[in-house]
Amino acid sequence: MKNRIRVLHVAQAAGGVDRYIRMLFKYMDHDKFENILVCSHDFKRVDYNGLADAFEHVDMQRPIGKADIDAMKAVRRLIRKYQPDIVYAHSSKAGAIARVANIGLKKNGDKIKCIYNPHGWAFNMRCGKKKQMIYTAIEKMAAPFCDKIICISEAEKQSALDKKICKQDKLQVIVNGIDIEEYEQRKIAGLSTVSRKSCGIPESAFVVGMVGRISEQKAPDVFIKAAKQIKQKISEACFMIVGDGPDREMIEEYARENNIALFISGWVENASDYISLFDVALLLSRWEGFGLAIPEYMLAGKPVVVSRVDAIPEIVKDTENGLLVKPDDIDGTSNAVLELYKEGALQMKLRNKGMITVHEKFDVKRTAKESEMLLNSVITSRNQLR
């Protein structure tokens, strides 16, 4: 294939970024774009068979340290090797490494363009003011070394403007999406091997679930404390967390001490199969760049209870397609779940409206198409400068 736009993607953090890149590669036009992935060892080569035109591992570590210099040198060598038209950096760490690595590099006499997608600003995390200041300073210093910054929600764009990361014209909102087509094909084919029985959950149980890393951001402590209150009112309630993380042991211990029926799946590839077992789906994040689990819940026809933070109210309109609660609000969370348990008509309304919302707004095919348009515009702007 001739004259394809060659894009070299650089990524350090796996998880949601990994899923995003795979969906992007799947739905981008392969006749027009050549996608090369340079990534940390958290990514698996086998996952990109048939998706990536080339795949390279580089030792990129999450903590800031001397190893970053070696990572920058390695990425710079690979940029020189592949001679891309555009370097596309994903997430904060890879964003810093790739943007510095690309400084001064050219292809056929033209500057190699660079775009950056933070996938959620690091300075929005709930951490100390000193760390927030450091993350903000890094983003400000690195911003001049890219041509466009992609924000996955309007809230992310506003955060960048509030922190004066860059001028508004450098920011481009491309809202996140999920793979609706894959979900529907999997459902029709009946590929799921997950059942309530296989998870040790009674068929008659009222299942309250969440998908996400068991860590401070996703507030599993609020989830399990709300579970205690819910269990007191709904005797048949059982609880499920699809994911894993550093706070797992603490959450399991609390569940044992309070006689809460809790199933934790660990890391799985087929989260949608577990979501199908939920009666109510929760995402109680303390900060959130987007909240990809929410449209996944909606696609499965589950009523949602979610925290009112960052980008989440862009997805969920309270009492229209879900219920919003304040972050860290244990009572509000348990009351919202109890309301859904009692009000079948409300459940049905939220399910129906949620499914309409995800089909209208959050299909990853739209995300891929808008990404293609941005990549084309970046190349066009370069050609106009010749």
Side-chain angles (χ1 to χ4, degrees):
M1 299 178 189
K2 295 182 179 180
N3 299 321
R4 290 194 295 169
I5 295 174
R6 180 175 290 178
V7 185
L8 186 143
H9 300 257
V10 183
Q12 178 272 322
V17 173
D18 184 10
R19 290 174 60 207
Y20 181 95
I21 295 172
R22 275 190 270 169
M23 289 190 290
L24 202 62
F25 285 13
K26 178 180 177 180
Y27 288 109
M28 285 178 68
D29 188 336
H30 292 257
D31 291 330
K32 297 179 180 178
F33 294 91
E34 180 183 355
N35 288 307
I36 297 159
L37 180 60
V38 174
C39 56
S40 71
H41 292 280
D42 292 336
F43 290 72
K44 299 176 183 177
R45 185 183 299 271
V46 67
D47 291 338
Y48 288 86
N49 288 342
L51 294 177
D53 293 275
F55 183 99
E56 300 273 5
H57 273 137
V58 167
D59 185 18
M60 286 184 276
Q61 300 173 14
R62 190 181 184 91
I64 298 172
K66 292 181 179 179
D68 294 340
I69 303 298
D70 291 333
M72 288 173 189
K73 290 177 180 178
V75 171
R76 190 173 177 85
R77 284 194 296 269
L78 290 169
I79 296 172
R80 283 177 165 151
K81 173 183 174 180
Y82 285 103
Q83 287 288 289
D85 298 290
I86 300 172
V87 171
Y88 186 163
H90 297 266
S91 76
S92 300
K93 186 58 177 287
I97 289 171
R99 284 182 284 180
V100 173
N102 190 53
I103 292 173
L105 295 185
K106 295 182 178 182
K107 177 180 181 177
N108 299 327
D110 292 318
K111 170 180 169 283
I112 295 175
K113 294 289 189 175
C114 181
I115 62 175
Y116 166 52
N117 186 338
H119 294 275
W121 295 109
F123 52 71
N124 280 338
M125 292 192 302
R126 206 181 268 192
C127 57
K129 287 187 176 180
K130 185 177 179 180
K131 275 192 174 182
Q132 288 181 344
M133 289 174 64
I134 291 171
Y135 292 143
T136 302
I138 291 171
E139 294 293 355
K140 285 182 178 180
M141 287 187 291
F145 302 114
C146 62
D147 299 277
K148 282 286 184 179
I149 296 176
I150 297 174
C151 300
I152 56 176
S153 66
E154 289 290 343
E156 288 294 287
K157 177 181 178 179
Q158 191 57 52
S159 288
L161 294 174
D162 291 344
K163 294 287 188 179
K164 297 181 172 56
I165 299 301
C166 62
K167 292 183 178 179
Q168 184 165 329
D169 60 3
K170 182 167 280 194
L171 300 168
Q172 175 86 36
V173 176
I174 299 180
V175 175
N176 237 340
I178 61 171
D179 194 341
I180 295 175
E181 180 180 294
E182 181 178 306
Y183 173 84
E184 292 178 342
Q185 288 176 347
R186 185 176 178 82
K187 186 175 180 181
I188 291 169
L191 297 177
S192 176
T193 58
V194 177
S195 66
R196 290 192 172 195
K197 184 178 180 181
S198 70
C199 297
I201 297 172
E203 291 297 329
S204 60
F206 182 76
V207 179
V208 180
M210 65 167 270
V211 175
R213 191 165 187 263
I214 308 175
S215 62
E216 182 188 7
Q217 180 195 0
K218 303 297 182 180
D221 54 322
V222 177
F223 176 88
I224 200 65
K225 289 174 183 176
K228 179 181 178 181
Q229 295 186 1
I230 294 164
K231 185 69 175 176
Q232 291 169 354
K233 299 290 180 67
I234 306 174
S235 60
E236 67 271 28
C238 291
F239 302 88
M240 179 180 288
I241 298 177
V242 182
D244 212 328
D247 294 344
R248 176 172 180 166
E249 186 176 333
M250 177 182 69
I251 298 304
E252 288 178 322
E253 183 179 355
Y254 186 92
R256 285 193 299 269
E257 290 175 351
N258 291 278
N259 197 30
I260 298 167
L262 174 67
F263 171 85
I264 298 179
S265 69
W267 295 122
V268 297
E269 287 288 330
N270 55 332
S272 62
D273 295 345
Y274 291 87
I275 292 171
S276 69
L277 308 181
F278 296 179
D279 288 295
V280 175
L282 275 55
L283 190 71
L284 306 173
S285 305
R286 292 182 165 104
W287 67 89
E288 193 66 69
F290 182 77
L292 208 56
I294 301 171
E296 291 178 336
Y297 297 159
M298 290 176 168
L299 183 60
K302 305 303 175 182
V304 303
V305 176
V306 296
S307 54
R308 192 191 300 270
V309 295
D310 300 331
I312 290 179
E314 294 177 32
I315 307 170
V316 176
K317 306 303 177 186
D318 193 28
T319 72
E320 291 183 22
N321 59 358
L323 299 181
L324 289 169
V325 296
K326 294 182 293 185
D328 296 316
D329 188 352
I330 297 166
D331 293 341
T333 299
S334 60
N335 289 337
V337 172
L338 291 170
E339 183 180 7
L340 289 170
Y341 176 75
K342 295 173 183 175
E343 300 292 339
L346 178 60
Q347 272 200 47
M348 187 60 66
K349 173 189 172 183
L350 300 186
R351 284 174 177 154
N352 291 341
K353 186 61 177 175
M355 292 184 76
I356 292 170
T357 299
V358 73
H359 279 88
E360 287 182 347
K361 297 182 178 181
F362 302 116
D363 191 333
V364 76
K365 289 182 181 178
R366 183 229 2 109
T367 306
K369 184 61 66 178
E370 291 180 9
S371 298
E372 288 181 357
M373 292 170 63
L374 175 62
L375 293 168
N376 274 316
S377 70
V378 167
I379 292 299
T380 300
S381 68
R382 181 192 69 185
N383 294 340
Q384 289 173 344
L385 292 173
R386 288 178 175 173

